[in-house]
Structure formats: C-alpha cells, structure tokens
Amino acid sequence: MKLRTLDSLGDLSGKKVLVRCDLNVPLAGRDITDDGRIRASLPTIVRLREQGARVIVLSHLGRPEGAPDERFSLAPAAHRLAELLGTDVPLASDTVGPSAHATVAAMSDGDVAVLENVRFSPAETSKDDDARASFAAAIAELGDVFVSDGFGVVHRKQASVYELARALPSAAGLLIETELRVLEKLTATPERPYTVVLGGSKVSDKLGVISHLLPRVDTILIGGGMLYTFLAAQGHAVGASLLEKDQIETCRDYLRQASELGVDIILPPDIVVAASFSADAEHVVVSADSIEETPFGASGLGLDIGPEAAELFATKIRESKTVFWNGPAGVFEMPAFANGTRRIASALADMSGFSVVGGGDSAAAVRTLGFADSDFGHIATGGGASLEFLEGKTLPGLEALGWQ
Ligand code: ADP
Ligand code: MG
C-alpha cells in the first residue's frame, strides 16, 4: 500500500498520539443504536496502548452548527469506548481549550482520552484554508504525532482530517489500512462475476460511481430511491416516488453504455407502491411499468422493490463471486418496506464469494435487520468515502498520508 502506516512513526512509547477516529454513531437520545464505528476504531487504539502511547482520540459526531451543542456531545461514544476497552476514558469538554490541555496533561502511558466534538468549532469544516490550518495547528499542540483512522471522513478536506495530517508526523491507522485493502481488492482483481447493488436516497451523489463501474463489473442491480430515475429514463411514470429529473438523461446514457459494454443493469420487475410516506401506509405490489396504476394514482410512492425483484436480485447475488452493496433497496426503517433490503442482505450472507457492504445506512440496515458483521466479507465504515474511492477520485485525507 502506497501510504504511510503506523510502523513509519517509530517507537511511540510515552508519545502523545492524536488519533482521528470516526465515532459518528447513530443515536436515539443518548443511546447508541449501532456501535459499529466505535468497535471499528478499537484495533488502532489497542495497538497504540500496547505500544505505551498516550492515546488522544478526536472525532466528529453529527452536524452541529460550529458551536458546542449538548445533543452532539461525544459523551455517549466515550462512555461506550470505555466499556469496550475496559478502562476509564475521560472526555475533555472542549477540543483545544483548557479542558483538553488539562486532560492530556493528566494522562499516563497507555491511557486513552477523548476530546470533545471537533465540529463544535466552525473552523473544522470551514471553506477558508487558513481557518482550517490554524485550527489544525491548535490541535497539533496537544500531541507529538497524528494517526488518521476515520475512514468515513477521508474524502473530506477538513481540519482534523487533512490539515492536521500535514501539521504533524502522520500515518494511517489500522482501520484505514483494512478498508483500503478491501477496496483495492474490489478495484484491482475482483473475482468474476462481479455484481454491484446500488440503492439508497442520495441519488445524484451516487450516480457518478456507475460510469466508473460500468467497464469493471458484470451486473449492476438498482434498487432504493435511485431506481425511479432509471424507470423514468425508460419512459415509465413513477408517481410521487423519489425522482431527480435532471439526472434522467444521465441514466439513459448509462443504460446505453451498459448495453454497448455487455453489462447488465437490472431494474426491479415489480415495486411496492404506498399511498403515503408512512410506516402504516396502505401499499400494493405492481409491475415497475404500472406505478401510477394503483388506487393511489399519481400520488403513489415506490418505497421498496417487489418480491419478484427481491428474488431476482438474490439469484444474481448468489451467482456472483464478488458483490459490493451500497444503499438500502427500500425504506427499511419502516418494516412494511424492509423486505427487499432484508432479502439482499440474506443473499449476501449466503453467497460463497466476497461480499462488501458500504454506507452508513446500509450498515445500520443489516445490523438492525438482525444480521451479524460476520455474515459479510466486510462492512465498510464509510459509504461516501468508499464510493469516491471506487470512482477513482483523489481523497484528500489519504493524499495527506502519502497515498498515491
Ligand atoms: P447509505 O448511507 O448506505 O450510503 P443512503 O444514505 O444513500 O445510503 O440512503 C439511505 C436511505 O435511503 C434510507 O434512509 C432509506 O430509507 C432511503 N430509501 C431507500 N429506498 C427509498 C425509496 N424508494 N424512497 C425514499 N427513500 C428511500
Ligand atoms: Mg446515508
């Protein structure tokens, strides 16, 4: 791997090591609903402790508006981290202020502490390069070296990801190494047939990856919110379903390119159409070309792929040797519209080849639907970062670690 790894930092015993993790876990109040990202950050933290380092953890949580906000405190994450490590993990009440300095000063070798949410400072995500650089310099005063391990944010040019990596001797942590090894396997030598399953709701964000994937894969299965723009590109009416009108032409182009390249872009033959966007909405299954021919007419919404589509997708997945899946097939948060997502997850769990689930909501979906992490080859902690990597983009947070 062409990137600086932990070994490049030399002997870390007694050193103050700033570690950028991604502890951005989903919360219900103060309860963590999926601690996957905290677990994923453990290998690096444990390794650094074993080396006798003083481990100072940085992270963001949610999108506070550049000011301290109790709802986005890292307190629940620090508490969970302490439970998982079986040791005390104090939380500083600021990121670079007096509390942070006092917390670090009180640390002994092998200790772990967390600094409060980096996004409580507007400089973290500022568009102004100087503002980010001076915030990074203030963070850098707290440590001797920097380890970047927040894979979910490496595609962001943010102070604690990009500028901090340039302000101190820096290297990638074990999570970033693991994630990259998996993604490189997907881009370099995936075993064929290689199938990509796409869904979710960030339609325009995700369409870009298709043009990069088309020359590299055998099959693309389209579900979730993005499928309605494809159905519209085929000339079908989609009722009130999620639709990005300005992307219809792009989708038409992808369908054309796919047939030229001999790649199968498979759209669901049937759809679950609901009367409204709610968990108890009346709903029916119709063929994909008849979305407006339900009792709900043009106000019907496609909220899941139908049972025939789910079976078709499952068959295609089981026939594959490599599968990358990003984006739920339906509004899985509502049980009535979770079947497509559940069926895809179980097909991935059953297949004998290499399966990767990427994306915050996709990972949360498989876990809340009762699947175990070990059912899959790999669950990526960052959806946006994974997709941008697969698109062949330069990720600032990796570039700063010597990635080429
Ligand atoms: P990820 O975080 O895995 O990258 P996204 O953030 O793109 O995925 O999308 C996840 C969201 O997509 C879920 O909250 C889900 O409810 C929503 N979704 C899936 N299918 C549909 C649909 N047909 N209409 C509206 N939203 C959908
Ligand atoms: Mg998401």
Side-chain angles (χ1 to χ4, degrees):
M1 200 165 301
K2 303 142 288 180
L3 146 123
R4 294 191 299 278
T5 54
L6 283 183
D7 298 340
S8 72
L9 294 174
D11 180 8
L12 293 174
S13 149
K15 293 265 176 68
K16 289 176 287 180
V17 182
L18 289 157
V19 187
R20 174 57 156 104
C21 296
D22 175 4
L23 306 182
N24 183 28
V25 286
L27 291 174
R30 291 177 73 86
D31 294 330
I32 297 171
T33 53
D34 173 17
D35 68 358
R37 285 181 161 171
I38 301 178
R39 291 176 181 277
S41 66
L42 292 176
T44 297
I45 294 172
V46 168
R47 165 80 65 93
L48 292 170
R49 290 187 77 199
E50 283 167 4
Q51 294 182 352
R54 303 174 182 204
V55 185
I56 308 158
V57 176
L58 297 155
S59 179
H60 72 290
L61 189 138
R63 295 193 170 173
E65 283 166 27
D69 182 334
E70 193 49 40
R71 290 170 302 163
F72 299 104
S73 169
L74 282 169
H79 182 75
R80 183 78 190 113
L81 184 58
E83 282 174 357
L84 291 166
L85 289 169
T87 183
D88 281 345
V89 175
L91 170 72
S93 61
D94 53 38
T95 315
V96 293
S99 173
H101 282 272
T103 302
V104 170
M107 292 174 83
S108 305
D109 296 357
D111 280 357
V112 180
V114 177
L115 306 182
E116 191 51 285
N117 196 337
V118 288
R119 289 192 189 163
F120 284 177
S121 164
E124 169 68 4
T125 56
S126 171
K127 289 195 166 45
D128 176 359
D129 293 354
D130 295 336
R132 289 197 316 275
S134 53
F135 185 48
I139 300 175
E141 278 179 31
L142 291 157
D144 303 310
V145 299
F146 175 58
V147 172
S148 182
D149 212 26
F151 180 71
V153 284
V154 286
H155 59 314
R156 307 275 187 215
K157 200 167 190 175
Q158 297 179 345
S160 69
V161 179
Y162 182 75
E163 280 79 11
L164 184 55
R166 305 180 139 227
L168 285 175
S170 61
L174 301 173
L175 175 62
I176 286 193
E177 262 198 75
T178 306
E179 300 271 18
L180 289 178
R181 210 167 286 130
V182 169
L183 291 173
E184 280 195 311
K185 201 163 149 187
L186 289 182
T187 46
T189 51
E191 257 198 276
R192 316 296 284 245
Y194 178 9
T195 296
V196 171
V197 189
L198 292 175
S201 57
K202 295 178 187 158
V203 181
S204 47
D205 274 12
K206 291 180 175 182
L207 281 175
V209 75
I210 294 178
S211 64
H212 183 78
L213 290 172
L214 275 173
R216 294 174 168 77
V217 305
D218 302 295
T219 306
I220 300 179
L221 307 174
I222 309 265
M226 76 161 61
L227 87 90
Y228 303 95
T229 308
F230 276 92
L231 291 176
Q234 290 185 327
H236 302 310
V238 297
S241 311
L242 204 66
L243 174 67
E244 301 217 0
K245 284 209 178 83
D246 54 351
Q247 302 291 330
I248 293 178
E249 204 40 58
T250 314
C251 289
R252 207 170 275 147
D253 241 25
Y254 289 153
L255 292 168
R256 202 164 29 230
Q257 282 175 41
S259 75
E260 281 165 20
L261 290 163
V263 173
D264 276 334
I265 292 188
I266 300 181
L267 302 176
D270 57 349
I271 306 285
V272 180
V273 177
S276 64
F277 193 89
S278 63
D280 56 359
E282 215 185 306
H283 53 277
V284 293
V285 176
V286 291
S287 70
D289 58 4
S290 316
I291 289 180
E292 295 194 354
E293 290 158 36
T294 72
F296 328 126
S299 61
L301 301 143
L303 295 187
D304 195 9
I305 62 172
E308 194 185 330
E311 279 320 306
L312 174 66
F313 281 19
T315 303
K316 293 288 171 191
I317 289 167
R318 276 196 307 263
E319 288 169 1
S320 306
K321 285 276 188 317
T322 306
V323 177
F324 174 75
W325 174 27
N326 171 264
V331 183
F332 74 91
E333 297 91 337
M334 305 176 186
F337 310 111
N339 293 324
T341 303
R342 184 182 294 108
R343 192 73 195 87
I344 289 172
S346 72
L348 255 78
D350 284 347
M351 67 178 281
S352 55
F354 184 53
S355 61
V356 179
V357 182
D361 292 291
S362 307
V366 299
R367 293 188 182 117
T368 55
L369 292 174
F371 294 87
D373 288 23
S374 57
D375 287 333
F376 308 98
H378 180 72
I379 300 186
T381 50
S386 304
L387 286 175
E388 290 197 16
F389 186 92
L390 292 179
E391 277 178 63
K393 289 189 182 160
T394 305
L395 309 190
L398 296 182
E399 193 200 336
L401 304 172
W403 174 267
Q404 4 170 324

